[in-house]
Amino acid sequence: MTFSEEAWKHVASWYDAILAHPFVAGLADGTLPEDVFARYLLDDAHYLTSYGSTLAMLAARAGDPALSAGLAHAAAEAVEAERLMHEEFLVPRGLDPDGPDAAEPTPTCRAYAGTLLADAAYAPVEVGLAGVLPCFRVYLEVGRAIAAQATDPAHPYRAWIDTYSDPAFDAAVTRAEGWTDRLAEAATPERRTEMLAAYARATRFEWMFWDASWRGETWPTA
């Protein structure tokens, strides 16, 4: 069993919890309130900026030219595709994720993005890579699950569904998992345990991210 297969099996209960979350359920059947979806996309735009930096940091530390090039390409490709989707939904509604009046990232967004960036900078490269995998795999699996239900071309969140159920995204996920699996093969059992912990932590953050948007999480005021 490869590391990515083992890790996905390890977080099965969290994936089930993600599918059962009211945010994801509403996204699937189209009943998710538009303002909640917009709030999520704004937070996701902030997250993607840090996610791109995380991948770029890992590319710089990879120590292997092919892996460095692949990670750098993934950083640019993933962030650009998703930001275009954000702009298509948000800008017509007067919401600019890069504007001076954009909502600041939620505490959960800050915690998740900061954890990935810290691991990319200070943890072993294979541990940092394990931490970025759930953002790929969870979205692919959720996208597929929703696409199987949401067959109406006029679904209000069709662009989101199509983005994450697209074969091109599937290929990107497979590449990222392949890089990590190769590093895991050469890792010690102790290091592999660290990788699994990073993967599980990031998957838990994925649930928290959607939950934060659903709850309308904000920073406290004095």
Side-chain angles (χ1 to χ4, degrees):
M1 182 183 294
T2 66
F3 168 79
S4 58
E5 291 170 340
E6 177 189 0
W8 186 243
K9 183 178 179 180
H10 181 66
V11 300
S13 61
W14 274 108
Y15 175 60
D16 290 342
I18 285 169
L19 286 182
H21 194 282
F23 182 102
V24 176
L27 188 60
D29 64 19
T31 61
L32 184 70
E34 188 175 292
D35 63 319
V36 175
F37 187 67
R39 186 163 63 216
Y40 152 76
L41 285 185
L42 286 168
D43 217 25
D44 197 41
H46 292 301
Y47 169 82
L48 280 172
T49 299
S50 291
Y51 192 70
S53 298
T54 295
L55 292 174
M57 179 74 71
L58 289 169
R61 296 184 58 217
D64 175 83
L67 178 56
S68 294
L71 286 169
H73 179 71
E77 190 177 59
V79 172
E80 179 62 21
E82 294 187 53
R83 285 189 68 83
L84 285 174
M85 179 184 62
H86 293 163
E87 291 173 4
E88 287 175 6
F89 186 89
L90 294 171
V91 174
R93 291 163 175 79
L95 300 170
D96 181 1
D98 299 317
D101 299 323
E104 68 175 315
T106 63
T108 294
C109 179
R110 286 283 192 194
Y112 187 10
T115 296
L116 294 184
L117 197 54
D119 281 351
Y122 301 113
V125 170
E126 54 266 41
V127 174
L129 268 175
V132 303
L133 287 186
C135 186
F136 281 103
R137 175 55 64 181
V138 169
Y139 270 65
L140 175 63
E141 296 298 336
V142 171
R144 284 172 169 171
I146 293 179
Q149 303 174 49
T151 57
D152 183 0
H155 192 288
Y157 304 120
R158 172 56 53 195
W160 190 97
I161 297 167
D162 290 346
T163 296
Y164 296 112
S165 60
D166 192 298
F169 185 62
D170 189 347
V173 175
T174 300
R175 284 195 299 272
E177 289 181 338
W179 299 327
T180 311
D181 289 341
R182 284 192 288 276
L183 291 177
E185 287 173 5
T188 64
E190 293 77 15
R191 183 58 49 77
R192 195 169 170 121
T193 297
E194 293 177 49
M195 294 172 68
L196 198 61
Y199 191 102
R201 184 166 54 246
T203 306
R204 184 173 58 194
F205 265 127
E206 288 293 335
W207 183 94
M208 292 169 64
F209 197 94
W210 275 311
D211 188 61
S213 294
W214 179 255
R215 293 185 290 107
E217 181 183 76
T218 59
W219 290 89
T221 55

